[in-house]
Amino acid sequence: MREGEESLFLFKWWHCFGELGAPPLIPEKSDMIYKIKLLKLIPMIDSIRAEEPKSIKERISSAIQLKEQGNRHFKDKSYELAKKSFNLALKELTITTSSFTEEELPKVNELKISLEMNLALTYNNLKLYDKAIPRCSLILQQQPEHLKALLNRGNAYMLSGELEKAKEDFDLGKKIDSKTGGNESRYIDKIFAQLREKEKEFKLLQNQMYARMFAEKN
């Protein structure tokens, strides 16, 4: 913006008056449009002090806030914004594990896994399956029976055409769910049905390709 220029800015409800709003003028969960005029540009000082490094507690707090922000974006189906928030949150926690206390470390690891899972779900919604798969694999390296990571990786494999790998993940997911007495059996049956449909589509395309190849030879 230039001096004297006016612009309209749209802010989502969580950046404004929150869930409750400001009755009676502003209803709950109201997005707001602000008209802002730039009156004057103030020159920056010649030398700016370097930003003070964040403490460990500040990093953890920032990561939690960014995760919550990402969750709101995801719920709002703003997947690009959600991806940015989750990545920034993980960046806050990208420091040596020795930096955390014994009390902090388990909580930080749990937070990292939650962020990785949310990021994988976001990538799946963006149809970036090649990015969702390694995120799930990273979780499974640490927690081999993490059911959500396994099922979401299987879903990413299926949607990217790697049907055998998808079947392996879904089979293992069903065993884990049965062993732990979980309640994901209906969901797993549903995605198995989707996998069978994908296999039928693949076989149909394969048969059509072979038929064309045979016709060309003759």
Side-chain angles (χ1 to χ4, degrees), residues 104-157:
E104 289 169 339
L105 190 56
K107 294 177 182 178
V108 168
N109 286 336
E110 186 180 343
L111 179 56
K112 281 182 177 180
I113 286 173
S114 177
L115 285 164
E116 292 287 1
M117 190 69 256
N118 289 359
L119 195 51
L121 286 166
T122 303
Y123 281 135
N124 267 349
N125 277 280
L126 289 168
K127 300 182 180 179
L128 298 172
Y129 309 121
D130 59 323
K131 292 189 176 181
I133 290 166
R135 295 291 178 176
C136 293
S137 297
L138 187 63
I139 297 169
L140 291 163
Q141 285 173 13
Q142 301 173 63
Q143 297 183 9
E145 295 193 351
H146 195 293
L147 188 56
K148 284 187 178 180
L150 198 60
L151 296 180
N152 276 284
R153 187 176 70 175
N155 197 40
Y157 277 138

Side-chain angles (χ1 to χ4, degrees), residues 32-208:
M32 305 292 292
I33 296 176
Y34 288 90
K35 186 177 184 180
I36 298 174
K37 182 176 182 179
L38 181 60
L39 299 177
K40 186 178 181 181
L41 286 169
I42 301 173
M44 295 176 66
I45 57 175
D46 294 334
S47 59
I48 301 173
R49 291 181 182 177
E51 185 179 342
E52 289 289 329
K54 291 180 181 177
S55 69
I56 299 300
K57 287 185 178 179
E58 285 173 335
R59 281 179 173 274
I60 295 171
S61 176
S62 176
I64 291 170
Q65 288 176 20
L66 285 163
K67 180 192 172 187
E68 290 171 352
Q69 183 185 76
N71 289 343
R72 289 193 293 266
H73 287 316
F74 187 92
K75 190 177 180 181
D76 200 37
K77 297 184 179 179
S78 301
Y79 299 122
E80 284 291 344
L81 292 174
K83 178 185 75 172
K84 184 177 180 181
S85 295
F86 295 140
N87 273 314
L88 286 172
L90 282 167
K91 190 176 179 181
E92 289 284 15
L93 303 175
T94 309
I95 49 179
T96 58
T97 53
S98 60
S99 302
F100 301 110
T101 65
E102 289 184 8
E103 185 182 352
E104 289 169 339
L105 190 56
K107 294 177 182 178
V108 168
N109 286 336
E110 186 180 343
L111 179 56
K112 281 182 177 180
I113 286 173
S114 177
L115 285 164
E116 292 287 1
M117 190 69 256
N118 289 359
L119 195 51
L121 286 166
T122 303
Y123 281 135
N124 267 349
N125 277 280
L126 289 168
K127 300 182 180 179
L128 298 172
Y129 309 121
D130 59 323
K131 292 189 176 181
I133 290 166
R135 295 291 178 176
C136 293
S137 297
L138 187 63
I139 297 169
L140 291 163
Q141 285 173 13
Q142 301 173 63
Q143 297 183 9
E145 295 193 351
H146 195 293
L147 188 56
K148 284 187 178 180
L150 198 60
L151 296 180
N152 276 284
R153 187 176 70 175
N155 197 40
Y157 277 138
M158 178 178 70
L159 294 171
S160 59
E162 298 188 67
L163 304 184
E164 284 301 319
K165 289 183 179 180
K167 189 175 185 301
E168 287 176 13
D169 279 355
F170 295 152
D171 278 333
L172 183 54
K174 196 161 189 175
K175 289 176 185 175
I176 292 169
D177 187 62
S178 177
K179 183 175 75 173
T180 57
N183 57 357
E184 297 288 346
S185 57
R186 284 187 179 180
Y187 173 70
I188 296 171
D189 289 340
K190 182 180 177 181
I191 53 181
F192 257 122
Q194 291 175 355
L195 178 61
R196 285 191 288 270
E197 288 299 316
K198 286 284 181 184
E199 287 174 331
K200 286 180 185 177
E201 290 174 16
F202 178 75
K203 285 179 182 177
L204 179 61
L205 289 170
Q206 197 175 45
N207 290 338
Q208 289 174 347

Side-chain angles (χ1 to χ4, degrees), residues 17 21-28 30 32:
F17 294 90
L25 296 176
I26 299 171
E28 61 183 24
S30 291
M32 305 292 292

